[in-house]
Amino acid sequence: MGRYLIAGNWKMNLNQSDSRALAAAIAAQAGDVEADLLVCPPHVYLNQVAAEIAGTPVALGAQNAYHEPSGAFTGETSVAMLADVGCQFAILGHSERRHVMGETDADVNKKLHAVLAGGLTPIVCVGELLAERESGQTDAVIAKQFEGSLAGLTAEDATKIVLAYEPVWAIGTGKVATPDQAEQVHAGLRKLLSDRYNAEIAKSIRLLYGGSVKPDNAAELMSQPNVDGVLVGGASLKAADFLAIAAGASKAS
Ligand code: PGA
């Protein structure tokens, strides 16, 4: 496994000047952090954030992407457009895209192939609902999302992706998965990857945990053998919290 990846998903928050200030504050400290840092602002602020982090180790990501290259798709953003403003990553199939906007595994799969073709790194999210966990369906739900979202992914391309496990019941709720719960699903994802490709490829893919990650729980989550980083929502909106979470990567490794 390479370095930990600490990704901030700003969701639909902040304004232009707050976005710039947050990016600048993170970039100013990024050199002191022993982890890869990624910020994912709203599309409308990508350009401004790109300017703030230019020449620093902080990477830029989009929260979503559309699979078509161009044309009559009102309100959507193509992968080429995202690359044009400096994005290196795109989050795909976030639970809010799946459960609020109705995205399916098939949608996520089309986006995955478009993002890879466009040279960006996809961060593909999977995660079960509370009712699914309580009825013992977690593994089945994750396996179904894995198969559907990653359909047709070649071994070569598999090495270029990041996966994020985000239990829906833990997102924005303050109810973080326990390190054991996270590790169990991550180990399952690693096995799915290993069975489909091989152990070496499975090991090379970073598996992020997301859902109420905070400075006080990040290090313990990342100390689990199959947790290679975190995808952070609420706590990524404060530079000090995001950087404290990133500092947890050195404690974990
Ligand atoms: P949260 O969001 O950290 O606010 O729970 C995580 C996410 O949705 O990526």
Side-chain angles (χ1 to χ4, degrees):
M1 211 270 301
R3 281 152 62 95
Y4 285 82
L5 176 61
I6 314 296
N9 173 10
W10 298 359
K11 307 192 180 185
M12 198 174 75
N13 292 300
L14 307 176
N15 59 24
Q16 188 173 170
S17 67
D18 292 342
S19 294
R20 294 181 62 148
L22 178 56
I26 291 168
Q29 305 290 320
D32 304 336
V33 172
E34 286 172 45
D36 294 334
L37 297 184
L38 167 67
V39 291
C40 303
H43 284 185
V44 71
Y45 304 135
L46 282 167
N47 253 321
Q48 285 91 335
V49 169
E52 296 295 336
I53 62 177
T56 80
V58 182
L60 186 68
Q63 298 173 19
N64 184 28
Y66 197 59
H67 65 275
E68 292 286 355
S70 65
F73 304 103
T74 300
E76 295 293 344
T77 310
S78 74
V79 177
M81 290 168 180
L82 297 173
D84 192 26
V85 295
C87 285
Q88 296 141 278
F89 290 79
I91 299 172
L92 301 179
H94 187 275
S95 86
E96 287 140 26
R97 302 289 326 164
R98 290 177 183 271
H99 297 290
V100 183
M101 280 72 178
E103 274 184 22
T104 64
D105 288 329
D107 295 327
V108 176
N109 186 244
K110 281 190 265 183
K111 294 175 180 213
L112 170 79
H113 289 288
V115 164
L116 284 165
L120 272 63
T121 299
I123 300 178
V124 179
C125 303
V126 296
E128 81 286 2
L129 298 163
L130 184 59
E132 291 167 339
R133 172 162 284 270
E134 287 177 341
S135 57
Q137 294 176 70
T138 300
D139 291 351
V141 169
I142 301 296
K144 185 168 174 290
Q145 290 176 338
F146 176 93
E147 294 303 334
S149 303
L150 305 186
L153 181 68
T154 63
E156 194 197 335
D157 277 350
T159 62
K160 301 175 188 157
I161 74 165
V162 174
L163 284 179
Y165 168 54
E166 297 208 307
V168 180
W169 49 270
I171 297 176
T173 58
K175 277 191 223 156
V176 64
T178 65
D180 282 352
Q181 285 173 323
E183 173 59 20
Q184 213 177 358
V185 174
H186 282 230
L189 282 169
R190 195 84 72 193
K191 182 163 187 329
L192 288 169
L193 288 165
S194 180
D195 289 349
R196 196 206 267 203
Y197 303 105
N198 60 47
E200 198 188 333
I201 289 174
K203 219 173 138 200
S204 74
I205 296 172
R206 289 194 280 197
L207 305 181
L208 312 185
Y209 167 79
S212 296
V213 175
K214 306 285 178 228
D216 64 359
N217 60 29
E220 201 186 352
L221 286 160
M222 286 190 275
S223 70
Q224 299 302 306
N226 286 293
V227 179
D228 310 320
V230 284
L231 179 51
V232 187
S236 73
L237 298 173
K238 289 209 179 99
D241 286 353
F242 187 64
L243 291 161
I245 288 168
S250 12
K251 281 186 219 140
S253 50

